[in-house]
């Protein structure tokens, strides 16, 4: 019981912080303790060396060929996805730009149609046709039907057959015309 009371008295009011007296006693014990004996290399016992046994070389863990191909395949797919996304973004930007250009052109077209309707005055055109060109309005009396000879017809007498070489040449020429 006395040791219990003494142990409790070494701490401040039931906390874990030691009292000053307990700290002084601990330092005194440390200073008056006998010094530790240091042994020299000669006094130390020699270690008995064990004979070295040949050990197998460390082998790196093997990586499966399928794992390598899978990694390369997934990496290639990821690159393709990124490139496709870039292409998609460029195409979408181009589409937006072209739609804006189309809207601008449609607005210009409407403006030009309005200016054309304002510029075309039927009275001015009729005056110009009658006075300057000497034209008149068509009447039933002025209309005359003109008859012509029957249509001309032609008969092909001989048709030249094309050889395979001529057809090939024609095909090549048509391809060249297409890409011009």
């Amino acid at each position: 019981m006395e040791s219990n009371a003494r142990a409790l008295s070494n701490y401040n009011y039931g906390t874990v912080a030691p009292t000053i007296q307990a700290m002084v006693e601990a330092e005194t014990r440390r200073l008056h303790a006998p010094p530790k004996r240091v042994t020299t290399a000669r006094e130390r016992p020699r270690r008995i060396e064990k004979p070295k046994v040949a050990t197998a070389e460390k082998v790196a863990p093997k990586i499966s060929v399928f794992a390598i191909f899978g990694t390369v395949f997934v990496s290639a797919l990821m690159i393709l996805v990124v490139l496709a996304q870039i292409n998609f973004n460029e195409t979408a930007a181009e589409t937006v730009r072209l739609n804006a250009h189309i809207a601008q052109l449609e607005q210009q077209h409407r403006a030009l149609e309005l200016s054309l309707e304002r510029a075309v005055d039927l009275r001015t055109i009729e005056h110009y046709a009658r006075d300057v060109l000497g034209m008149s309005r068509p009447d039933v009396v002025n209309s005359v039907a003109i008859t012509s000879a029957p249509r001309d017809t032609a008969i092909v007498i001989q048709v030249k057959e094309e050889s395979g070489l001529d057809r090939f040449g024609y095909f090549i020429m048509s391809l060249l015309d297409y890409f011009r």
Side-chain angles (χ1 to χ4, degrees):
M1 185 85 169
E2 184 179 309
S3 65
N4 220 2
R6 186 172 180 208
L8 287 175
S9 67
N10 286 339
Y11 295 99
N12 287 331
Y13 303 106
T15 65
V16 291
T19 60
I20 294 176
Q21 181 183 357
M23 288 179 8
V24 168
E25 287 175 7
E27 187 65 22
T28 307
R29 277 192 302 250
R30 187 183 69 77
L31 290 175
H32 295 306
K36 293 182 181 177
R37 185 168 181 253
V38 178
T39 58
T40 61
R42 289 184 183 177
E43 293 176 356
R44 290 187 192 140
R46 285 188 169 184
R47 290 186 181 173
I48 301 173
E49 293 186 20
K50 296 180 183 177
K52 292 186 178 180
V53 178
T55 59
E57 293 182 18
K58 290 186 179 180
V59 178
K62 293 183 179 180
I63 299 174
S64 170
V65 175
F66 292 115
I68 293 171
F69 284 130
T71 304
V72 169
F73 181 72
V74 168
S75 300
L77 283 180
M78 289 173 50
I79 290 170
L80 287 176
V81 166
V82 169
L83 291 177
Q85 184 67 33
I86 290 170
N87 190 13
F88 175 76
N89 290 342
E90 289 174 354
T91 305
E94 182 73 13
T95 302
V96 168
R97 188 184 64 77
L98 290 176
N99 284 338
H101 187 68
I102 287 171
Q104 179 186 9
L105 290 176
E106 286 175 349
Q107 186 178 8
Q108 284 180 350
H109 178 68
R110 278 188 237 114
L112 287 174
E113 281 183 341
L114 287 174
S115 66
L116 178 66
E117 288 177 7
R118 289 184 198 132
V120 174
D121 183 21
L122 293 178
R123 290 182 188 160
T124 308
I125 293 172
E126 184 178 354
H127 180 266
Y128 180 77
R130 188 177 350 109
D131 295 342
V132 177
L133 298 175
M135 302 173 105
S136 63
R137 286 187 166 263
D139 293 335
V140 177
V141 177
N142 294 343
S143 298
V144 178
I146 301 174
T147 58
S148 65
R151 287 187 163 186
D152 289 338
T153 58
I155 299 172
V156 177
I157 298 174
Q158 184 179 8
V159 176
K160 179 182 173 187
E161 278 192 39
E162 295 179 6
S163 67
L165 187 58
D166 291 337
R167 289 183 196 156
F168 181 72
Y170 177 73
F171 175 72
I172 296 297
M173 292 303 290
S174 66
L175 281 177
L176 290 176
D177 287 339
Y178 178 74
F179 288 111
R180 283 186 190 170

